[in-house]
Amino acid sequence: MDLNYTDEEIAFRDDVRAFLKAELPASVSDKVKGGKRLTKEDMDSWHAILNKRGWLAENWPVEYGGTGWNAVQQQIFDDETCAAGAPRIVPFGLKMLAPVLIKYGSEEQKKHYLPRILDGSDWWCQGYSEPGAGSDLASLKTRAVRDGDHFIVNGQKTWTTLGQYANKIFCLVRTSTEGKPQEGISFLLIDMDTPGITVRPIILLEGTHEVNEVFFDDVRVPVENLVGEENKGWTYAKYLLTHERTNIANVGANKVSLEHLKHIGRTQKVRGRPLIEDPLFAARLAQIEMELDAMATTNLRLLSSPDSVANAGPMSSMLKIKGTEIRQALNDLTRRALGPYAMPFVSEALETGYNEEPIGPDYAAPVSKDYFNNRKITIYGGSNEIQRGIITKMMMGL
């Protein structure tokens, strides 16, 4: 297996770098590199810049506006955008709902929603988790009852990421209590401004308003907003989760974090010597790097497969487990590398315009935020324990 880039791939990489140098706003990349919080406008502007260049929908078929890139090009683009400090594209419409619509949606739904995802007209959020249905998603209670040309939806969703910005939500709802729990679920597309919807913020441990509760009180949803067939939503939900889990692997971002950790190791001192020369730190760093290299190769194998993520099966679960474990290991070792400088957490230092004297090195401010925020990643998208069960069942037949 030749892991070197071809001349064509080097030319593509240079094209991506030139684009990033010309188009990525310095004000946004400075925030990303400094670990500061992004605004909706920051995320919208990068979405629009990529769409204008035709590089937004890397995982879509060309006929719907996708890039047509091969696996290596996708990996190069991910690596280069992360290294340049580009924001992570909000995935809910682009990388999660769109594949479901392309495979299972009606022609009317494709024609209406896909262009609006590309041009930013619609900001989607995800209505999966409920207070009593997270990893055991099939136990969800939100009901949708048919009433003529509408479904009447009642219930509650939680942990709705960036739902405060969304004008649309894709929802799993229970439309039948017959048979197995998975057999009575449907997949609905709902306007967030429909009467009866209430959004309440959940403030995370590190002070961020990132997730929300969403309540549905007799919300009327037109039947044409049903994706696929009634009571078949579990199939579409699993297909969407395959894309979500692959995206969670976040190979490019983990590579950037690893290089940042190496920089900290060379900068911080232990008994007058660079930390990176400490045998225990060096061993931990090497372990993470080996696991990251192996995951990047697995990710490339998945992207290169003829059916790509559509038939990823347990490989997306493997990527989800390993990607989240590597991310948490990077967060933990970074925190340990900074020692006492990782202890103070000044939330205001992550906002634009904060100009007080930093506590310790300037890269210390976001370390605690990243550590605490990323405690969640081994849980969402289906907990890692659930993923291990999927792998065991599908690969080992147990």
Side-chain angles (χ1 to χ4, degrees):
M1 184 177 184
D2 186 358
L3 297 179
N4 296 310
Y5 289 145
T6 64
D7 290 342
E8 291 77 13
E9 289 161 352
I10 291 173
F12 175 76
R13 183 194 64 189
D14 292 344
D15 194 20
V16 173
R17 287 180 176 177
F19 164 74
L20 290 167
K21 184 177 181 180
E23 300 293 339
L24 176 60
S27 59
V28 175
S29 63
D30 287 346
K31 283 186 180 180
V32 173
K33 291 179 178 178
K36 295 185 180 296
R37 297 188 177 107
L38 297 175
T39 65
K40 180 177 184 292
E41 289 70 28
D42 293 330
M43 293 180 271
D44 281 342
S45 68
W46 183 232
H47 182 109
I49 290 168
L50 286 178
N51 185 46
K52 183 179 179 182
R53 182 64 176 80
W55 284 0
L56 183 60
E58 60 184 273
N59 63 327
W60 292 19
V62 173
E63 60 265 35
Y64 294 111
T67 59
W69 289 341
N70 61 32
V72 176
Q73 288 174 309
Q74 291 181 48
Q75 189 61 63
I76 288 173
F77 184 74
D78 187 42
D79 288 348
E80 295 300 324
T81 50
C82 288
R88 186 173 178 227
I89 290 296
V90 178
F92 303 106
L94 195 69
K95 297 188 176 184
M96 293 162 64
L97 175 62
V100 173
L101 292 179
I102 290 170
K103 186 174 178 65
Y104 298 106
S106 67
E107 286 306 311
E108 290 74 17
Q109 289 170 341
K110 295 175 190 176
K111 290 177 181 176
H112 179 73
Y113 290 115
L114 294 179
R116 293 174 63 86
I117 291 173
L118 288 177
D119 69 17
S121 296
D122 291 335
W123 181 306
W124 287 90
C125 61
Q126 183 181 33
Y128 270 31
S129 295
E130 298 183 3
S135 293
D136 183 17
L137 188 59
S139 64
L140 63 88
K141 303 295 184 187
T142 296
R143 293 293 308 273
V145 177
R146 185 73 176 263
D147 180 25
D149 294 334
H150 288 78
F151 289 101
I152 310 300
V153 180
N154 284 281
Q156 178 188 354
K157 299 293 178 180
T158 192
W159 310 123
T160 309
T161 304
L162 301 180
Q164 69 269 35
Y165 300 142
N167 65 325
K168 306 281 185 181
I169 182 170
F170 53 86
C171 265
L172 295 181
V173 295
R174 182 157 301 286
T175 42
S176 173
T177 55
E178 302 293 327
K180 296 180 180 178
Q182 293 88 346
E183 295 173 352
I185 293 172
S186 298
F187 194 109
L188 288 182
L189 310 174
I190 304 176
D191 291 340
M192 289 290 280
D193 61 359
T194 309
I197 294 181
T198 303
V199 180
R200 294 179 184 169
I202 299 173
I203 304 302
L204 298 179
L205 183 65
E206 26 75 43
T208 304
H209 176 195
E210 181 181 298
V211 293
N212 303 269
E213 296 176 292
V214 181
F215 298 87
F216 300 86
D217 184 13
D218 289 333
V219 175
R220 298 184 67 84
V221 181
V223 292
E224 57 262 31
N225 287 20
L226 173 72
V227 175
E229 299 180 51
E230 188 172 336
N231 298 328
K232 300 294 183 184
W234 188 249
T235 298
Y236 320 140
K238 289 192 298 181
Y239 185 73
L240 183 147
L241 283 170
T242 298
H243 288 266
E244 181 182 6
R245 289 164 187 159
T246 304
N247 189 47
I248 290 172
N250 229 344
V251 175
N254 279 330
K255 288 180 178 178
V256 171
S257 295
L258 178 67
E259 292 306 312
H260 182 58
L261 179 55
K262 289 179 180 178
H263 168 71
I264 292 174
R266 289 189 289 268
T267 305
Q268 295 295 112
K269 299 290 179 61
V270 176
R271 293 182 289 277
R273 303 293 300 171
L275 176 62
I276 204 165
E277 296 180 7
D278 178 81
L280 181 56
F281 178 83
R284 289 173 171 169
L285 188 66
Q287 182 66 37
I288 294 173
E289 185 162 18
M290 287 188 292
E291 293 186 6
L292 179 53
D293 284 345
M295 183 183 71
T297 303
T298 302
N299 188 56
L300 207 53
R301 284 173 54 205
L302 175 59
L303 292 173
S304 301
S305 66
D307 295 322
S308 190
V309 293
N311 294 316
M315 286 186 71
S316 65
S317 296
M318 293 166 59
L319 287 169
K320 196 270 178 177
I321 293 170
K322 187 51 66 178
T324 54
E325 289 180 344
I326 289 173
R327 167 60 60 180
Q328 291 187 345
L330 284 165
N331 291 150
D332 184 52
L333 193 53
T334 302
R335 183 177 61 91
R336 291 174 182 274
L338 283 170
Y341 295 133
M343 289 293 289
F345 176 50
V346 183
S347 182
E348 296 80 5
L350 305 178
E351 303 293 346
T352 301
Y354 181 82
N355 56 8
E356 297 294 325
E357 189 71 21
I359 301 173
D362 57 0
Y363 47 71
V367 170
S368 291
K369 181 262 294 182
D370 292 342
Y371 176 82
F372 287 119
N373 190 287
N374 285 335
R375 292 296 90 194
K376 69 191 179 191
I377 61 177
T378 47
I379 300 173
Y380 69 32
S383 72
N384 285 7
E385 288 75 15
I386 294 290
Q387 303 315 308
R388 291 187 180 94
I390 291 172
I391 293 169
T392 302
K393 183 178 180 181
M394 297 185 69
M395 296 189 75
M396 303 178 70
L398 299 177

